[in-house]
Amino acid sequence: MEPGFEGAAVSGWTPARPATGIYQVPASGGAVTRRFSSVAFFSPKLAWAVRPSNGDNTILERLSDGRRFNLPTRGADVTWTRSETRLAYTRSDTTGNFDRRLSRVYVADVFGAPRQVATLYGGGVSGWVNDTTLLLSGKAQPGVRDRELFTLDIRNGARRSLGQALSFRGVSLSPDGAWVVYYVAFDSKARNGLWIRPTAGVLPKARCLWGLPLAGRESPAADSAAARRLTACAARIPCA
């Protein structure tokens, strides 16, 4: 369900006069109407349409006025800042084992030129902590075992490590970017579990919500309503 209306978006719906597009229908039933006239990746606020084009080229269109610019994303979707004035994307090698595959991370302001900010193996962009800080995961070298989850300040290259594991799964930032939740599986007993960690790195270590004891089952995000919403369900899972 897209923000701004109560209904479901359906791609490929066949109305009385067939036309390609994104269609919507109220969840309670009613008329099917065309929401967007073409199929695309849409930004979270529905301000932008991202349409892969020929070759490496991707067209980004601002829906309010139709103004466009191009980025060489190789057909990949992009990750937007909350303000939707800046974006990031990953360009990865297309052959070889994913764990050893080279990925380059780029950022760009809207209508601006992209610039590379990171090189990873077996990883990519997990989200934006804020307008100037990315959350990334991946390996520094193709032959190492573990991936690193870390933040990267795109202004000066400053990094903050948030954890290491064979693989980070289900990585999700709180709406305010202050907390990240993820789970680790098929790793060591000390690492496996569902974890929450402040992106600012102000606590000595992450809190485990499942798989290891969480003392008192207290929410470590007591000062962040957004993070409480993000972990409300996870906090009810008893730890082993």
Side-chain angles (χ1 to χ4, degrees):
M1 188 178 296
E2 302 287 2
F5 69 94
E6 295 181 356
V10 181
S11 177
W13 190 278
T14 306
R17 295 182 178 179
T20 301
I22 303 291
Y23 290 80
Q24 68 181 29
V25 58
S28 58
V32 177
T33 57
R34 189 164 63 174
R35 174 78 171 182
F36 299 109
S37 60
S38 63
V39 177
F41 300 116
F42 291 94
S43 66
K45 294 182 178 180
L46 300 179
W48 295 87
V50 181
R51 299 186 178 93
S53 186
N54 298 325
D56 292 350
N57 197 38
T58 293
I59 301 171
L60 297 94
E61 179 184 354
R62 187 164 59 189
L63 297 176
S64 62
D65 59 8
R67 187 180 175 191
R68 298 180 176 186
F69 70 105
N70 299 331
L71 287 175
T73 74
R74 291 182 179 169
D77 195 8
V78 301
T79 302
W80 295 92
T81 59
R82 286 186 291 278
S83 63
E84 296 192 358
T85 58
R86 180 173 291 160
L87 53 89
Y89 62 93
T90 303
R91 284 181 50 151
S92 301
D93 288 350
T94 56
T95 59
N97 188 305
F98 175 75
D99 286 342
R100 294 175 172 267
R101 201 173 293 179
L102 176 66
S103 296
R104 298 176 176 87
V105 179
Y106 296 85
V107 298
D109 292 338
V110 297
F111 306 114
R115 63 183 179 93
Q116 185 178 339
V117 294
T119 300
L120 303 167
Y121 293 88
V125 178
S126 297
W128 285 94
V129 175
N130 53 48
D131 279 355
T132 59
T133 306
L134 282 168
L135 180 66
L136 304 173
S137 67
K139 301 189 295 185
Q141 298 295 331
V144 301
R145 176 187 184 274
D146 289 340
R147 288 176 173 81
E148 182 183 16
L149 183 70
F150 63 97
T151 63
L152 175 71
D153 190 322
I154 65 171
R155 298 168 299 182
N156 54 28
R159 295 165 53 116
R160 176 179 288 115
S161 180
L162 301 180
Q164 292 186 335
L166 181 64
S167 181
F168 295 94
R169 303 164 183 258
V171 179
S172 182
L173 283 162
S174 62
D176 61 1
W179 295 83
V180 59
V181 65
Y182 60 87
Y183 72 94
V184 177
F186 307 109
D187 205 326
S188 66
K189 184 178 180 180
R191 288 177 171 179
N192 288 341
L194 178 63
W195 297 86
I196 182 171
R197 180 184 290 275
T199 54
V202 294
L203 293 184
K205 65 178 182 178
R207 304 293 187 94
C208 174
L209 299 176
W210 172 81
L212 290 172
L214 173 63
R217 303 296 194 273
E218 79 279 9
S219 168
D223 59 341
S224 171
R228 286 200 301 273
R229 290 196 298 272
L230 184 146
T231 59
C233 294
R236 298 191 183 99
I237 301 175
C239 292

